[in-house]
Structure formats: C-alpha cells, structure tokens
Amino acid sequence: MQRKPMQASKGFQIVTDWLQQQQLNPFPFQEQAWKAILAGESGLVNAPTGCGKTYSVFLGALMQFINAHPTDWTKQKNNGLQLLWITPLRALAKDIGRAMEEVNGGVYRDWETI
C-alpha cells in the first residue's frame, strides 16, 4: 500500500488551514514531527521553551486521528481523539491544556477537553 504524502492528507490540510487562519506558520521541526507521527514513528521533540513543542506533537496526533477517521472525525459520540500527556509541572500542564483547547476551539468548535 502506498502512503499519501503528508501534504495530501486530510488531517494535514485541516490543521494547516487552521494555522493559516491564525496567521501561524509551522517551524521545520514541527513539520518533521508531523511527518514522523503520520509515518507511525516515535521520537523525542527537543526545543527551547515557547517554540511550539506542544503543537509539534498535538497537531501531529490530531492529523493522524483525522486521517484515520476521514468521514466521522468531527463526531464526538463514541469517537474522539484520546491522548495521555504527562508533564512534571502543574503550571506547564495548564499552559499545554490551554494550547490544546485553542486548537480544539478552532478545529472542532463544539468539543471540550476534560
């Protein structure tokens, strides 16, 4: 089975459309992370504070979820993206949660994070 290029995937298009609406441009390391996630690889993202590590992983997982559920990714009932995100600091967890909620509000609109 031949894989579609990352740019041709529905998840990539939806996420990058949202980024453009926010007037945000992905960094090369974020695109590399997305490519690895969509290829089923694992890894480690290392970048300075405030450089977009959360988006590099969260948006990649979101793209992967949309690609796996191209017709029903927006339906919350019996469906949904589930992530386990572990962070050592409560304040950092709140910042990460806010970043994820911002994406959810723009991409999913009616979804809530727990």
Side-chain angles (χ1 to χ4, degrees), residues 1-113:
M1 181 173 130
Q2 189 171 353
R3 291 188 182 263
K4 288 193 262 182
M6 181 174 69
Q7 292 83 358
S9 77
K10 182 173 187 169
F12 179 84
Q13 193 59 54
I14 288 169
V15 168
T16 55
D17 285 351
W18 178 80
L19 286 169
Q20 287 178 350
Q21 291 170 3
Q22 305 306 306
Q23 298 180 339
L24 298 172
N25 294 311
F27 294 107
F29 83 89
Q30 291 172 319
E31 292 180 329
Q32 290 171 346
W34 300 340
K35 187 175 180 179
I37 291 167
L38 293 176
E41 298 173 8
S42 62
L44 175 71
V45 176
N46 184 15
T49 301
C51 286
K53 291 182 296 293
T54 299
Y55 279 3
S56 71
V57 177
F58 180 62
L59 294 182
L62 181 58
M63 288 176 197
Q64 185 180 51
F65 177 77
I66 293 169
N67 291 345
H69 305 279
T71 59
D72 62 353
W73 66 274
T74 59
K75 296 179 182 155
Q76 187 173 13
K77 186 169 176 67
N78 299 323
N79 196 11
L81 173 63
Q82 295 181 13
L83 296 172
L84 175 61
W85 201 287
I86 300 171
T87 180
L89 302 172
R90 184 173 290 163
L92 181 58
K94 290 182 185 229
D95 287 344
I96 291 169
R98 277 192 290 271
M100 290 177 178
E101 287 176 2
E102 181 180 347
V103 173
N104 284 343
V107 174
Y108 285 108
R109 294 205 169 44
D110 297 327
W111 281 39
E112 294 180 11
T113 56

